[in-house]
Amino acid sequence: MRLMTYVGMLICSTTVMLSVAAQATMLKLNLIPSSGIFQNPALTPDPGPPAVIATDPLAEGGTATMSSLVWGEPSDESGINPDLLQSSLVLTSYHEIALSADGSPEKISQLVHNNNVLNPAAATLLSAQILGALGLSSTDGPVTDVFVNHNTLGLIPLADLTLALLASPDVADDLVPVGEESTTLISLFNLAYNETLNDSVFCIFGNPRGSFCDDFFLLSTEGGFPAFIELLIDGLPHELLIYSSFDETGASAEPGPSYFTGENASTTLYTFVRLNPLSVPEPSGVLLIGFLLVLLASYRLSRYIRKR
């Protein structure tokens, strides 16, 4: 009987260590089709070319959706836009992101602002929207109890926010598959653009990018940004953080909501996600306990065998 007890201890303690070693919680983020796009651009009432949106759902070898918004009548009056390029915003959203619960940042999109010199008498961009949607899933088990930390309402179920956005005229009511409202995160960013046209009267917000008169845009979304999301993956609590950064590694967060670009220059704003466990014992501590249990079981088993 004692032999079975010692063997049982050894098996149980080894199982603890193996389960911790294999505990690499994975969350998958999948871009919902027809999202990751610009929509609803509005221009000033001046004459000039219309804003143009172009979308490629199979960019970067089919791994991303690229949506571009181009506007303005180019000018080389200042001598710094000889190629007569329009201004543009180019959004690249990646189709699938796999996240480990170790807090490491993973890039989910990037937004490039190409700020070129435009004719001040022609129509320029006033506003637009960015529509994004991500499905949450995991190979470790079901994703449940997903809550979003809303900046005014506090912690609310993701399904409530998703259903509210699906009721908006700016979001197609069939964007989210039926029954997946509680695991689909919709982001509807309102973009307000400020074209300074190198007029000092409009440079009241300063020039953090160092040109004569930096242009900038503001991004705002329902619930606020950065986004904090709490969820259970196979019954274990985690926190998902979605934030923006000018750092390609995601090491720093950009608070927003204003993002500046110097004249005749480009800036790239990246969006990252991080997944962290909540209220879970430190793996090193659990491994130590498991290791001690293995030693104890091995010691008792060896003593039992010697006595026999």
Side-chain angles (χ1 to χ4, degrees):
M1 190 69 181
R2 281 188 176 182
L3 178 60
M4 295 302 296
T5 301
Y6 296 150
V7 172
M9 288 178 63
L10 183 60
I11 292 173
C12 290
S13 53
T14 304
T15 301
V16 169
M17 296 184 68
L18 289 175
S19 65
V20 172
Q23 188 182 10
T25 302
M26 189 71 71
L27 181 68
K28 285 189 176 181
L29 307 180
N30 292 95
L31 185 71
I32 301 297
S34 301
S35 72
I37 59 171
F38 288 105
Q39 62 182 30
N40 301 329
L43 299 179
T44 59
D46 308 293
V52 176
I53 293 175
T55 299
D56 178 5
L58 296 174
E60 298 196 8
T63 63
T65 292
M66 182 178 292
S67 184
S68 61
L69 171 60
V70 180
W71 72 90
E73 182 179 291
S75 169
D76 189 36
E77 185 176 349
S78 59
I80 59 175
N81 189 15
D83 295 328
L84 295 177
L85 299 175
Q86 292 178 282
S87 288
S88 64
L89 288 162
V90 181
L91 174 67
T92 303
S93 305
Y94 298 100
H95 290 166
E96 184 176 302
I97 302 296
L99 278 175
S100 295
D102 57 5
S104 58
E106 293 289 343
K107 183 170 63 175
I108 60 174
S109 69
Q110 64 182 41
L111 177 62
V112 179
H113 178 205
N114 299 302
N115 182 28
N116 292 304
V117 181
L118 302 178
N119 179 358
T124 189
L125 186 67
L126 278 178
S127 62
Q129 291 178 325
I130 297 174
L131 174 64
L134 294 170
L136 312 180
S137 63
S138 176
T139 56
D140 294 338
V143 175
T144 59
D145 299 323
V146 186
F147 287 82
V148 177
N149 198 341
H150 196 283
N151 59 354
T152 57
L153 301 177
L155 212 57
I156 63 171
L158 173 61
D160 290 356
L161 180 60
T162 300
L163 289 170
L165 286 167
L166 286 172
S168 164
D170 297 318
V171 179
D173 55 12
D174 61 350
L175 177 67
V176 177
V178 176
E180 297 183 11
E181 295 84 0
S182 62
T183 55
T184 302
L185 175 66
I186 299 176
S187 57
L188 183 62
F189 284 93
N190 292 304
L191 185 151
Y193 193 82
N194 187 83
E195 183 77 58
T196 61
L197 299 172
N198 290 331
D199 187 337
S200 59
V201 174
F202 299 102
C203 294
I204 59 176
F205 297 99
N207 299 295
R209 292 291 172 178
S211 70
F212 169 71
C213 202
D214 296 349
D215 293 348
F216 68 94
F217 56 91
L218 292 88
L219 285 176
S220 60
T221 186
E222 177 66 29
F225 197 80
F228 297 89
I229 300 166
E230 295 184 10
L231 67 160
L232 297 181
I233 302 175
D234 197 25
L236 298 176
H238 292 78
E239 180 182 63
L240 183 68
L241 169 63
I242 307 176
Y243 65 100
S244 293
S245 176
F246 283 121
D247 182 351
E248 192 174 5
T249 67
S252 61
E254 193 68 30
S258 298
Y259 303 95
F260 289 80
T261 304
E263 196 66 58
N264 200 47
S266 297
T267 55
T268 302
L269 183 67
Y270 304 94
T271 300
F272 288 90
V273 288
R274 294 175 184 258
L275 181 68
N276 288 291
L278 291 176
S279 304
V280 176
E282 287 291 331
S284 57
V286 179
L287 281 171
L288 179 60
I289 293 172
F291 181 65
L292 292 175
L293 285 172
V294 169
L295 287 179
L296 178 60
S298 300
Y299 172 71
R300 289 186 174 180
L301 181 60
S302 63
R303 286 190 60 189
Y304 178 83
I305 292 172
R306 283 200 301 270
K307 287 182 180 179
R308 297 283 292 180

